[in-house]
Structure formats: structure tokens, C-alpha cells
Amino acid sequence: MFILLVVLCSFTPKTDEELFIDSLLSQMTLEEKIGQMNQLDPSYESEAKEALIREGKVGSIFNIVGAKEVNRLQRMAVEQTRLGIPLVVARDVIHGFKTIYPIPLGQGATWNPDLVEKAASLTAQEAVYSGVRWAFSPMVDVAHDPRWGRVAEGYGEDPLLTSVMGAATVRGYQQSPMTNILSPVKMAACVKHFAGYSVSEGGRDYNTTWIPETQLRDIYLPPFKAALDAGALSVMCSFNALNGLPSSANPHLNIDILRNEWQSDALLVSDWGSGSDLVPHGLCADKKEAALRCINARMEMDMQGNIYTDYLADLVREGKVQESQIDECVRSVLRLKYRLGLFENPYVPEPDGENPLCYSIESLQAAEQAAVESAILLKNDGILPLSEEYLHAKKNPTVLICGPMADQKKEQLGTWIFDGEAEHSVTPYDAFYNREKPFHILYEPGLTYSRDKDPKHIAKAVKAAKKADIILFFAGEEAILSGEARCRTDLNLPGAQTEMMAALAKTGKPVVLVVMAGRPLTIGREVEQAAAVLYAFHGGTMAGPALFDLITGKAVPSGKTPMTFPKTVGQVPFYYNRHNTGRPTYEPPVLIDDIPVGAPQFSVGYSSCWLETATEPLFPFGFGLSYTTFEYSRTTVEPIADREGFYTVSATITNTGKYDAKEVAQLYFRQKSGALVRPICELKGFQKVFIPAGESRKVSFVLTPEDRGYWHEAHNGMESRVWFAADETEFEAWIAPNSAK
Ligand code: GLC
């Protein structure tokens, strides 16, 4: 049987794609092959880099944009090299191209994959017509540490939420299954950073990571697998050393898992110079050894590192590298280009004037909807929405618009903005000033930027507040405070915003706090002083209109926290799916007929300062209020007939308030004993449902053995092995509005 199978496999006809790649590869010289493994940023030293393109020594360029410029460089590759292999043009298109959507952490807060997919699709449409065919996104690094600046670029702390949103972004960018039919709006995704980058010690970017194999597989790898299952055409290495081995030179990640276990044929590209970084990492004595270690770990394209073009040919001639190793890397490069249709049509249409697809009505509407759904209502004493009826009682009230983020066109776009133009941003001040509203507005920013500490600026806001009935305080972070190499050692509002909030609250006027930031912040004091709190992250081009609609009740908040909000930075890392430990810091109250009995017990060594309890977060994962209220029925868990180990988990949610609204129903799971200690709860499903006021909706999930499974580990002397399985053990499953219920 085995022999028959081998014979059959050898006769499996090759696809057109494979035949094309075989044929092209057979014509290539060693130098031309190595050229395809080289990715350069020709936006500086352009003369030298253009010469390399003409010599066929560049496979991809990035940080170049605009149909004319891209076509100019492309003509060098296609018309001036021996084989005319086209370049693939890449760019950091992270949360929008010209039209900017909320930062990915904000998109995670929408819990709406359809919306995220639409945003990615419209983004691809804008970018492709500007010459970009490969986006260095989605970033799916599951993050537990808000000090790390790059939490802004991921979808939060949960593997499932991150997996769903990463896959949605891949689908949006790549539009349809990669059927080789050139679709002008198709752009290759690049899922990053592979892997474990977000676990950097101390939340310091690029820092060391130590991750046990089972935790790597339970928490950090699933979003990469989900993105690849969604068709992601490429993967990017991470900068960090994972358990002593930097990802670019890590055969366990790049060959054992990515190629052998997952059978992926996606292109693996380094991060910026992450191959040459092996020398400062202390792994390699010099860049030639770095090239050897990277090719032996099958890092297939060298981004801006020049180690492959400088050393690979010599390593082959010295017999240290087989040309077959080069061939398998070049196949991946040619496959990406083939699937993008670049060989048929390497050029981009050059529209007369601006790209008509940028800032389209459809894009701007999608950006506004994403900003609406990314905002989280954290507190509301009833002041919101500032609706007609609420304001009517105030007889023509005056609303003060203040704060360092109220009118910041650039800052509200957030991190990783290359092409989004601040002049297209609509700020909260713009929206409140220009739109019809049942109140007068006053505008006095007070602090003029997020790190401003000038008490005179606060005094100006307090003076204006005395003339107002209601204060809208737009606080938060400048965009530069999050993103790559933008970590913080405290999570408070920057500058003197805490002092400004206290001064505004002291006026006795109600303060609505709106936070526009790149991470969860420790805003406990400000929450106590505010009448209401909307957490909007950096909401992008249309953040202003979205916040206007939310505050005036034209839209109802539906966002939920994608990360735990700690009370203080001393609690970090703090995440919901933690282990109970042998001396739990918090035992959920026992529920008898859904009624909590007995106060939760705290027994921790923390010497809490102003914190009532240092063991509880400020806001748990999955938390978010609405202008309406929702009531959840008891959850039912029913085994599915003739499907061993499969269960239907259901609950009915009733909108008991007066606003039609969306609610994110979350399915949580917990086993209370088993082969290994397991989390006190894990998200295993979610559905965002629209429920009209007064109506009910039943939500159901299927809980599978796969959902209940996790990675086990056994050791035998020096040997160890891991395997995935579900324990046969009792478990609980429940549907709730957040992880703390
Ligand atoms: C950066 C980032 C990566 C980005 C790349 C290209 O260092 O780590 O996310 O895509 O370089 O700009």
C-alpha cells in the first residue's frame, strides 16, 4: 500500500503554478536566485539600490508608493534584467492606507470580524491602486503587557479574538482564495511577528522572551495558524530571541512548525535586518555566519539586511550551503509573485490625478463605523447620551470641548501611519463644531498636547468650564507614545492630564472623559471623578464623527475591552485567562441559582495603596457597557447526539432597556481538574448580535473537543514531547457579557 502511495504521489500532476516556477527556476543563475531573496527599502541611497534592481539583485522593494514611481522601478526589473522577474512592492499598511481605521487594538475592541474584513478590503483597494501589492500586516502578537508599545498593533490579549481578527484582515486584503486570477484589488497579507515577540521581558520592545512550548502553542501560535488557514501568503520573523534562539535563525519555528507541522508554503520574510541582528544578539560571530544560520532555518527573504546578497554565493561555493536550500526559498518568492499575478501584469494602472478609490465615501463610512464600534463605554452615570430629552431639561445648555486630544488631526490616527493624511482627519472638535446639535459649544483645549504639563493651560480650561454646563474632556496619548520602540514604564495619562481631570471635576460640572490612546491606561482615579468614560483608542480618520454620534446618542456604544485594564502598572502582566494558583487571589462568589453567595476572598501579599484590592483589574477583558441593558438567561450545555464530545451551549439575551443596540455574547470555558493546571476561564466563542429594545435573541455555540483541548507535555529524562488533546474531565461553559461574570 505504501509503495502504491509513493508511486501515486510521484505521478500527481504538477499544477500550472509549479510548472511555471520549475521552468523559471531552471533558467536562473545562483546570483539571480539570491537576488530574489533580497528586499530593499530604496527610499534612501536610491541610486545604488536602483543599480541593484537593474542587476537583478532585488526581489522586493518596500517604502516606495505611488503608481508612477512603482512602475518606474518595476520597468527596471521587468525590462532591464535578463529574466524580467517583476518586483513585489510591499508597505506597512497596518490599519488603513489613505483612509485610516482605528488602530488594530481598537479593531479588536469591535469584536466584529465582518467590519474588520471590510476595512481590510477597502484598504487593499486604496493601496493596490497606489502600487502596493504586499502589506506587512496583520500583526497577531497576543499581548499581556500594555507597557509594550506594540500592543497598539495587535488585537489584544486573547488567542481566539486575535485569531478571528487576524484571519478577517487576511481575507479582506487578499479578497478571494488565491486562484491566480489577477484581481486588481488583491494584496498579499504578511502575518507577523513569528513568534512570541509580545512576551518581551518588562514590556521592553525587542527584549528577550522565554515561553514554554505548551504556552507557545496554546497562546501565541494559534493566531498565526488561523491567518495561514485564511490564506495568508507570507509570514514575517520576529526580532526577539525565543528561548535563546532568535526567530530568524530558529529551525523549530520556521521548519518544524511552519513547514512540517502546518505544511505552509507561505513566504517567510525577515523583519528589518533581523538576520544581521544575530551578531548583536550574540548568536553569530559575524554576518556571514548569520547568513548561514538564517538559510539553515529557512528564512527565505532578507529585509534590508544584505546578508544574503553579501555572503550566500560564497557559502554555496564553500559547500556550506546547498543550492537546493536556495531553490526552496526562491520558490516561495516566485510563488507569492505568481499568486499576485505579477508575471501577467506587473504594472499598476496610473490614474489621472489622485487614486479615485482613496477616501471614497464607502471607505470613510466604514472607517466611521469601525471607530463607533471600537469605542468602549466604561462608565455612565446616565449623563450619556447627551440626547435631546436629556438636554431639554437643561434648557439650552453649553458644552465645553476640552483636552489635548480634542482637535489633533495627526494624533488621532495612531501609530504606523505612512500614507494617511492628517488633513483628512475629522477631529471631535471638527465634528462638534460643524454638526447640528441641541446645545452650544465652547472650545478650550487646556493642555495643548498629551505630554503638556503647563498648569497655566489647565487654568484656562477650568476658567472655560465655569461657563459650561457639561464638560467633554478628550484625553489620551500622542500617537508617538505607542508603536515600535515606544514602550512606557507607567500607564497613566501622560503630562498633567490627571491634574486637569481633577481640576475640571472640582468645578462641580459633570465631566465626560473620552480617552484616545494606543493601549489600556491606568485611569482609575479619572474614572472615579468622571460622570461617564468612553475609551476610543486612536480611532483614525473618522474618530471625530464617530464620537459625536456616540456622545449624542445617534450611535450606541458596543465595544468591549480586547485587553484587561490594570488598576496600576504594578499589576502587569495581568490577563483574564490566568491560572487559579494554589492560593487564589480571588475566588468568584459561589452562584446558587445565579445568586452570588459569600463575598470573594482576597489573600495576597500585595500592600495595596489606594487600591481596594490589587488582585482585581480596573476593567476585565471583554467588558463594555451600552446605553441599554442586557439580561442573560442561564446557560444550557447539551451534548450533541451522535457527536461524542460535542456540546451545544446556548443562552437567551434580552434587551431590557430603551435603545436598540449590539451586544457581544461571549462563550467561556473552564475545566476544574485535568492533566495540567488550566485557566480560570478561556474565551471559546463570541457573537456580536443586534437586539432591538425589548426583544430577545438566543445565541448558541458548538463547543468541540478541539475547543476543550490544549497542549500537554511529558518528559522522559532529557527527552520531552508535546501533544494536543482534550482531557476527559468535568468542565463548565457559560455565556456572559464579559470575562468576569
Ligand atoms: C519594522 C517592524 C515590522 C515592519 C518592518 C518594515 O521594524 O518590526 O513590523 O513591518 O520593520 O517596516
Side-chain angles (χ1 to χ4, degrees):
M1 182 58 181
F2 175 74
I3 294 169
L4 178 63
L5 202 61
V6 169
V7 168
L8 273 179
C9 281
S10 60
F11 283 118
T12 309
K14 288 201 168 188
T15 63
D16 291 349
E17 173 185 290
E18 287 161 333
L19 292 170
F20 177 89
I21 291 170
D22 285 353
S23 160
L24 182 50
L25 197 63
S26 66
Q27 302 167 54
M28 295 171 75
T29 64
L30 177 61
E31 280 65 23
E32 287 166 335
K33 292 176 182 175
I34 293 170
Q36 288 301 309
M37 299 163 67
N38 191 27
Q39 181 180 61
L40 292 181
D41 166 359
S43 56
Y44 57 93
E45 296 170 11
S46 52
E47 284 303 306
K49 304 232 172 127
E50 289 177 17
L52 289 172
I53 294 173
R54 289 192 191 91
E55 292 161 26
K57 293 184 175 173
V58 182
S60 169
I61 57 173
F62 66 114
N63 286 344
I64 286 290
V65 73
K68 283 187 173 42
E69 177 59 5
V70 164
N71 285 339
R72 183 182 74 83
L73 296 175
Q74 188 68 291
R75 269 190 287 278
M76 291 178 196
V78 173
E79 297 166 16
Q80 300 178 32
T81 63
R82 189 176 73 89
L83 292 170
I85 300 173
L87 298 163
V88 54
V89 178
R91 190 130 176 106
D92 283 295
V93 179
I94 309 299
H95 52 106
F97 179 67
K98 293 280 187 180
T99 304
I100 301 299
Y101 297 84
I103 54 172
L105 189 59
Q107 294 186 35
T110 69
W111 293 61
N112 185 342
D114 295 341
L115 190 52
V116 168
E117 180 173 339
K118 180 169 185 178
S121 170
L122 290 163
T123 294
Q125 202 157 287
E126 289 190 356
V128 163
Y129 280 100
S130 299
V132 178
R133 299 308 305 275
W134 186 12
F136 291 144
S137 141
M139 191 266 230
V140 295
D141 298 309
V142 173
H144 293 147
D145 191 335
R147 295 172 297 179
W148 187 52
R150 305 196 78 167
V151 289
E153 299 172 53
Y155 301 102
E157 73 184 35
D158 181 72
L160 177 66
L161 180 61
T162 300
S163 297
V164 169
M165 294 309 188
T169 300
V170 169
R171 289 193 301 272
Y173 285 163
Q174 296 186 174
Q175 292 278 322
S176 55
M178 305 308 287
T179 54
N180 296 334
I181 296 167
L182 177 62
S183 147
V185 295
K186 193 183 292 178
M187 181 168 72
C190 183
V191 61
K192 68 186 188 184
H193 304 83
F194 194 56
Y197 181 33
S198 55
V199 195
S200 57
E201 279 181 0
R204 287 190 297 280
D205 205 1
Y206 316 119
N207 205 0
T208 304
T209 65
W210 295 98
I211 310 175
E213 183 76 8
T214 51
Q215 190 185 45
L216 180 70
R217 290 170 176 272
D218 278 335
I219 303 289
Y220 300 103
L221 291 184
F224 288 92
K225 183 68 169 55
L228 289 165
D229 289 349
L233 283 181
S234 65
V235 184
M236 184 185 292
C237 297
S238 60
F239 285 123
N240 56 297
L242 172 61
N243 303 332
L245 200 49
S247 305
S248 303
N250 193 319
H252 180 51
L253 279 178
N254 303 343
I255 299 174
D256 296 345
I257 294 173
L258 184 62
R259 304 303 177 189
N260 300 339
E261 221 174 295
W262 294 351
Q263 293 292 301
S264 168
D265 65 3
L267 168 62
L268 181 63
V269 63
S270 80
D271 201 337
W272 188 307
S274 61
S276 48
D277 288 354
L278 300 184
V279 177
H281 261 298
L283 186 78
C284 300
D286 53 39
K287 289 187 177 181
K288 185 172 182 179
E289 187 190 350
L292 179 61
R293 296 292 291 268
C294 286
I295 194 72
N296 285 342
R298 202 167 151 190
M299 182 193 91
E300 297 178 319
M301 182 177 271
D302 173 24
M303 181 197 294
Q304 197 64 18
N306 300 309
I307 57 172
Y308 280 171
T309 43
D310 289 354
Y311 302 104
L312 264 191
D314 288 346
L315 287 165
V316 171
R317 283 188 274 273
E318 293 161 15
K320 292 176 183 165
V321 171
Q322 302 308 308
E323 188 157 353
S324 60
Q325 290 177 264
I326 307 268
D327 289 352
E328 61 182 2
C329 297
V330 177
R331 283 182 182 283
S332 293
V333 178
L334 299 179
R335 189 180 304 118
L336 175 69
K337 297 181 177 182
Y338 183 92
R339 291 180 177 176
L340 282 169
L342 287 170
F343 290 103
E344 285 92 351
N345 184 352
Y347 300 111
V348 188
E350 293 186 24
D352 298 331
E354 277 305 307
N355 174 345
L357 291 162
C358 293
Y359 302 118
S360 68
I361 294 294
E362 194 183 8
S363 291
L364 294 174
Q365 285 172 342
E368 183 172 341
Q369 186 59 25
V372 163
E373 297 205 26
S374 66
I376 306 164
L377 183 63
L378 294 175
K379 176 184 181 182
N380 186 21
D381 70 0
I383 188 171
L384 290 183
L386 298 186
S387 55
E388 301 263 351
E389 59 181 307
Y390 171 83
L391 293 164
H392 182 70
K394 300 272 179 187
K395 296 193 179 31
N396 217 10
T398 298
V399 172
L400 171 65
I401 311 279
C402 67
M405 294 298 287
D407 191 27
Q408 297 284 358
K409 288 182 175 294
K410 174 177 167 295
E411 306 309 335
Q412 72 180 44
L413 297 180
T415 185
W416 280 105
I417 300 301
F418 281 92
D419 305 287
E421 293 148 318
E423 55 268 30
H424 284 264
S425 282
V426 184
T427 66
Y429 171 71
D430 293 330
F432 277 86
Y433 186 80
N434 292 312
R435 294 194 171 199
E436 279 303 307
K437 58 223 168 257
F439 46 81
H440 299 294
I441 61 166
L442 277 178
Y443 175 59
E444 171 45 68
L447 298 171
T448 56
Y449 64 101
S450 79
R451 286 171 287 175
D452 184 354
K453 295 186 174 178
D454 188 337
K456 293 194 293 298
H457 293 166
I458 295 177
K460 288 168 74 175
V462 170
K463 187 173 173 202
K466 288 177 175 150
K467 299 177 206 147
D469 300 289
I470 295 165
I471 300 165
L472 301 183
F473 177 31
F474 293 91
E477 288 179 314
E478 292 149 76
I480 196 72
L481 296 178
S482 57
E484 182 174 354
R486 299 284 184 265
C487 307
R488 292 186 59 194
T489 53
D490 81 69
L491 298 172
N492 299 324
L493 283 167
Q497 297 180 71
T498 297
E499 292 79 354
M500 180 164 167
M501 177 71 203
L504 292 170
K506 210 169 164 191
T507 65
K509 309 291 175 64
V511 182
V512 173
L513 173 66
V514 182
V515 182
M516 302 167 87
R519 52 164 61 83
L521 294 176
T522 47
I523 52 171
R525 292 174 181 79
E526 293 83 356
V527 170
E528 284 171 358
Q529 294 159 348
V533 181
L534 256 183
Y535 211 87
F537 296 102
H538 286 127
T541 304
M542 300 299 280
L547 289 167
F548 177 88
D549 286 353
L550 287 163
I551 290 168
T552 58
K554 291 176 179 55
V556 178
S558 62
K560 299 271 186 174
T561 51
M563 278 184 86
T564 298
F565 277 56
K567 283 180 177 169
T568 171
V569 71
Q571 291 179 305
V572 168
F574 197 4
Y575 45 92
Y576 85 97
N577 49 349
R578 56 188 181 275
H579 290 170
N580 201 30
T581 80
R583 298 186 176 191
T585 54
Y586 172 71
E587 274 294 341
V590 171
L591 295 183
I592 295 178
D593 292 335
D594 280 350
I595 311 295
V597 173
Q601 305 304 316
F602 306 108
S603 60
V604 289
Y606 279 118
S607 55
S608 60
C609 45
W610 60 279
L611 304 170
E612 300 74 53
T613 61
T615 61
E616 277 311 288
L618 184 61
F619 296 105
F621 170 75
F623 177 83
L625 300 173
S626 172
Y627 292 151
T628 192
T629 47
F630 293 104
E631 204 166 276
Y632 282 64
S633 74
R634 285 178 72 93
T635 299
T636 60
V637 181
E638 305 291 339
I640 297 177
D642 68 40
R643 293 183 75 189
E644 180 66 27
F646 287 73
Y647 298 84
T648 301
V649 187
S650 305
T652 297
I653 304 168
T654 302
N655 180 339
T656 51
K658 61 180 186 175
Y659 285 89
D660 297 349
K662 292 181 181 179
E663 168 68 342
V664 181
Q666 300 157 43
L667 168 64
Y668 288 99
F669 163 84
R670 178 184 189 181
Q671 69 178 48
K672 302 196 78 171
S673 66
L676 293 174
V677 169
R678 299 298 298 147
I680 56 173
C681 76
E682 291 178 282
L683 182 73
K684 293 299 178 186
F686 62 90
Q687 291 176 31
K688 190 163 198 177
V689 290
F690 174 75
I691 308 179
E695 294 190 21
S696 298
R697 291 290 183 274
K698 179 176 182 181
V699 291
S700 285
F701 299 87
V702 174
L703 188 70
T704 69
E706 174 91 12
D707 292 330
R708 295 185 288 108
Y710 64 95
W711 284 89
H712 295 58
E713 187 169 38
H715 299 271
N716 176 10
M718 303 282 275
E719 297 297 312
S720 69
R721 71 183 181 92
V722 293
W723 70 97
F724 185 86
D727 293 339
E728 286 315 309
T729 180
E730 270 189 55
F731 65 85
E732 293 171 280
W734 64 99
I735 296 171
N738 61 64
S739 61
K741 284 283 181 218

